[in-house]
Amino acid sequence: EQLYALKFHFKDLQIVDLGNIRKQQPAFFTQVIQELISSKIVPVILGKHTNETLAQYQAYPPLRKLSNIVVIDEQIHFSNQEKNTDSNYLNPIINGAQSGLFNLGAIGFQTHFVSTETLQLFDNQHFDTLRLGKIKADVSNAEPFIRDADLLK
């Protein structure tokens, strides 16, 4: 309801609401995303669950397409010490054997919530980072990261 109340100023752009996906299995969700991408349709997924993010990411490698992922969060949900959980859902994306990852960006994180090891890994992998303080100083710093994203969480 609130989304439809917004004004639309792009006459040449078509947007279609496909509704809610009823099957919650990640494999089904991945298949739907692959079909959209193969049809040259840019999927915009509104959701909060990490399994949706992983399913969307997993749609890219079978299409032989690398993906740029940008995560906007106060934390970077990654840890080498733990099993894959919601609190470190980036593990299979960063450490995955079948990686379709071209680049990963973390925007809006707060340094005191992120381990030194994670920041070092991001630096070593040439992943992009942009702390919350930098965004607060000038929000336009985030634009280049977001512009190139295939997946925004």
Side-chain angles (χ1 to χ4, degrees):
E1 297 170 17
Q2 294 174 352
L3 181 62
Y4 293 111
L6 299 174
K7 304 299 180 227
F8 189 73
H9 299 279
F10 307 97
K11 294 176 183 164
D12 295 331
L13 182 66
Q14 290 184 322
I15 295 180
V16 177
D17 183 349
L18 299 178
N20 296 332
I21 294 182
R22 293 186 182 162
K23 288 187 178 181
Q24 296 299 314
Q25 296 88 359
F28 179 78
F29 195 73
T30 298
Q31 186 178 7
V32 170
I33 299 300
Q34 284 176 337
E35 190 69 33
L36 292 170
I37 294 170
S38 294
S39 300
K40 301 198 183 325
I41 297 171
V42 177
V44 176
I45 295 142
L46 304 176
K48 63 180 180 177
H49 300 291
T50 58
N51 62 344
E52 295 164 350
T53 303
L54 291 174
Q56 186 176 359
Y57 165 72
Q58 291 167 348
Y60 286 90
L63 299 173
R64 291 181 167 56
K65 184 170 174 18
L66 297 176
S67 58
N68 287 312
I69 300 174
V70 175
V71 177
I72 302 174
D73 201 326
E74 65 185 14
Q75 301 178 42
I76 298 175
H77 295 276
F78 174 81
S79 173
N80 270 329
Q81 277 73 48
E82 301 175 28
K83 291 183 176 182
N84 298 341
T85 64
D86 281 349
S87 65
N88 57 16
Y89 69 91
L90 292 174
N91 284 13
I93 294 173
I94 294 173
N95 294 331
Q98 181 190 5
S99 180
L101 182 63
F102 180 73
N103 192 36
L104 176 62
I107 296 179
F109 70 92
Q110 297 177 42
T111 306
H112 55 275
F113 287 137
V114 181
S115 72
T116 305
E117 294 82 14
T118 298
L119 291 174
Q120 186 64 47
L121 172 81
F122 269 61
D123 188 49
N124 292 343
Q125 296 292 327
H126 305 288
F127 293 154
D128 299 318
T129 57
L130 189 61
R131 294 181 302 105
L132 179 62
K134 293 273 189 188
I135 294 173
K136 287 176 80 174
D138 185 2
V139 73
S140 67
N141 288 328
E143 190 272 334
F145 296 90
I146 296 170
R147 176 181 359 117
D148 291 336
D150 296 304
L151 191 161
L152 178 66
K153 165 90 170 103

